[in-house]
Amino acid sequence: MKNSILIIFSISSLILSSCSVKSSKVTSPDENISVNFHLSDEGQFYYTIHYKNKTVIDTSYVGFSLVDAPNLEKGFIASVKKPATVNETWQLPWGEQEDVVNNYNEVRVELKEKEILKREVNLIFRVYNDGVGFRYEFPLQENLSEVLIADEKTEFNLTEDYKTFWIPGDWDIYEHLYRTTKLSEINALTYANHDDLAQTYIPENAVNTPVTLVGNTGLHLSFHEAALLDYSGMTLKVNPDELKFTSNLVGSKNTNYKVKRKTPFVTPWRTIQIAENAPDLIESNLILNLNEPNKLGDVSWFTPMKYTGVWWEMHLGKSTWDYGMEMVEGKWKDTGKAHGKHGATTENVKRFIDFSSKNNIGGVLVEGWNTGWERWIGFEDREGVFDFVTQYPDYNMDEVTAYAKEKGVQIIMHHETSAATETYEKQQDTAYALMQKYGMHSVKSGYVGKILPKGEYHHGQYMVNQYNNAAIKAAKYEVAVNAHEPIKATGLRRTYPNIISREGLRGQEFNAWASDGGNPPEHLSIVAFTRMLAGPIDFTPGIFNIKFNEYKDKNQVNTTLAHQLALYVVIYSPIQMAADLVEHYEANLPPFQFIRDVGVDWSQTKVLNGEVGDFVTIARKERETESWFVGGITDEVSRKISIDFSFLDANIPYEAIVYKDGENAHWNDNPLDIKIEPLEVNSSSKHTFTLAAGGGFAISIKKKD
């Protein structure tokens, strides 16, 4: 690195000359993290990040490749404005906690070309105790009114060969298993063209975010983005030889640019979470804090809930989404008559309503209720296939919704768009108005298949706008959105609290139909420290019939039953599905009691322990009841986990029920072996639990009467 001179912030503003190298910095409130800014002799801007005086990010340049205009990379002069400090507390209407502390130091670096066009681009850095966020701001200016970005060139130059937990930088889907390698060993192209994925495109050696790294001394880093609006999703291109990430935006086959914006505008935040241990990554609120405050106001019409539904049975093959489709001469054909296996019948949905009503479960999801399912599998042109108001003949929405209301249960709408975006966009108002008519406040949307119009990808700017605009419009009808096959979560639930959850990972259904054996026992021990850092996950836990040989003898869930219970605490979502069939719960009522009891909306969250990819234990306090629930899971390794109950209120006795692996439990050999026992605890209690291979434990804790 070139020599530099430090200019401290007692000077309110400084000009950095393009002919000599000067520097400045901003630190976190606790002064553990510092971001240093530099301008090279060529007028190139770069930054470094230090944690406790250790260089974490070394010389990293920024810039943009533009279409039909010179690149924005060098020839800058710069001014650094006086930093600002913010220390506030805001409230989540629902979430992992009620109060969120937002404490950071912010500085604005204004870059301006010295010669000819004199174009401007600013960088805003916010430095928190748990990491750094920065974004670009393109002000209104004479010589840059429309910006066509060919690519963004933000570098993250790492200083060691970190152990990295990653999925490939797929432009179309996040449904890959996480890999654990050294940074220098990442080869994302190895995982292109996966047979079990409905759509996939991995153009180069890049990873999707969040990507989490663990250093030799135990330092943890996670790279992601926040406030993704009207911009393309960011993957990180890997340079294994230089141990460097470089932002690589998702593109389109239809344009020679990846982002098109008019000035003024801002990009999403580029985020780096920094922690000395794995639990602190989960407790970080960096992503949320970098989003704008609530723009919707009161969203009390959305109720966090558990739900059952017509879903898992289709993945097992017990029933189907379609009403009348059969295999004829090796091809799927619409026969025009019912085949008798349709799942979303009035009778079947009423059965789920009855079960939910009896068991403290607030909702029922109904998939396959609307016409069109016969005509979309295997069809290239899916525009106009689905509508979102016409029901099949064996499903009576009037009768079902009236029955649900009588039983105190909400019906959750399902919109499978089949990635036919123009059809869905045209019908959204009609579809949301139908939901409003019936008092439905939640919709699960799906985007299976290659995007229409052809040439677009799920994570490009076109689709970012599709997903976000659908949710913003839904709010006008008091509808909350749980998107599947989505764009990544980037904390927008703070700004638009009707964005409640999403998929965006390899979910439970892969256990039922993937040809590679499903999700391994370690899967969610990685997800908790990677994908979950981005936001809520609709993973659909709670499978009790783990080996389901009567339906698919070559597939199973690769965890114990206790592990499945623990997921209701470990994997956060304000909506949590009890995903298995009614008959499997009715045959196993003692362990099902935990699902009946467990909360979904929390006032506090404490991550008690964990290591990325190995194990994690989380305690959460329910807002309404002030009861605590604890969940712990492990990978394929059996281990003992010690729990300190000091998170409980002092001088108060509690009664707990522990659901844990039995002595002979094992994810493959004996997954249903579970032991349930009472336990008295208080804030001084310490207990050790043995987790089987692929196992877990769950605890419900209530104050004694």
Side-chain angles (χ1 to χ4, degrees), residues 437-500:
K437 170 187 173 181
Y438 285 109
M440 301 180 194
H441 292 291
S442 298
V443 61
K444 173 184 174 182
S445 61
Y447 291 80
V448 175
K450 294 185 180 298
I451 295 295
L452 297 178
K454 295 178 182 179
E456 301 296 340
Y457 297 98
H458 279 72
H459 309 151
Q461 185 182 16
Y462 174 84
M463 284 306 297
V464 166
N465 290 335
Q466 286 285 323
Y467 289 109
N468 288 337
N469 291 342
I472 292 168
K473 178 175 286 188
K476 298 177 182 178
Y477 294 86
E478 296 190 345
V479 169
V481 178
N482 165 26
H484 282 228
E485 297 79 39
I487 52 170
K488 64 183 75 174
T490 60
L492 282 174
R493 60 186 169 121
R494 179 186 181 189
T495 311
Y496 303 102
N498 72 316
I499 300 177
I500 52 173

Side-chain angles (χ1 to χ4, degrees), residues 332-350:
W332 289 107
K333 298 289 186 180
D334 180 1
T335 64
K337 60 182 180 179
H339 52 41
K341 290 189 68 177
H342 183 220
T345 67
T346 299
E347 180 183 6
N348 195 29
V349 173
K350 280 186 170 182

Side-chain angles (χ1 to χ4, degrees), residues 283-333:
E283 292 195 358
S284 167
N285 288 307
L286 180 72
I287 306 300
L288 272 177
N289 276 326
L290 286 167
N291 281 265
E292 297 298 316
N294 183 353
K295 291 186 176 181
L296 300 183
D298 181 18
V299 291
S300 58
W301 43 263
F302 165 67
T303 305
M305 71 176 80
K306 292 166 285 189
Y307 69 99
T308 62
V310 183
W311 177 75
W312 185 243
E313 62 185 68
M314 279 91 90
H315 289 291
L316 293 178
K318 177 186 177 184
S319 67
T320 66
W321 284 271
D322 68 277
Y323 174 77
M325 190 163 154
E326 293 181 2
M327 184 72 76
V328 178
E329 297 179 351
K331 295 183 179 180
W332 289 107
K333 298 289 186 180

Side-chain angles (χ1 to χ4, degrees), residues 104-168:
Y104 61 86
N105 292 326
E106 177 183 284
V107 69
R108 174 187 300 269
V109 182
E110 298 181 348
L111 301 178
K112 184 175 183 179
E113 290 178 311
K114 187 178 181 181
E115 307 293 342
I116 308 175
L117 294 176
K118 299 187 182 298
R119 295 172 299 174
E120 301 173 29
V121 60
N122 305 326
L123 285 96
I124 298 93
F125 285 84
R126 290 184 182 175
V127 188
Y128 296 76
N129 293 340
D130 53 347
V132 177
F134 65 94
R135 70 178 177 187
Y136 304 91
E137 178 184 71
F138 286 77
L140 186 65
Q141 53 196 289
E142 182 178 352
N143 291 324
L144 194 62
S145 59
E146 183 175 71
V147 184
L148 304 179
I149 299 175
D151 224 326
E152 181 187 314
K153 296 185 175 182
T154 304
E155 294 182 346
F156 305 92
N157 189 7
L158 295 153
T159 56
E160 66 174 277
D161 197 3
Y162 283 86
K163 183 179 183 180
T164 307
F165 300 84
W166 59 277
I167 56 173

Side-chain angles (χ1 to χ4, degrees), residues 241-260:
D241 296 332
E242 295 185 15
L243 304 179
K244 181 190 296 184
F245 290 136
T246 304
S247 60
N248 185 57
L249 303 179
V250 175
S252 166
K253 289 184 178 179
N254 300 322
T255 65
N256 60 352
Y257 56 82
K258 293 181 176 180
V259 173
K260 180 180 180 179

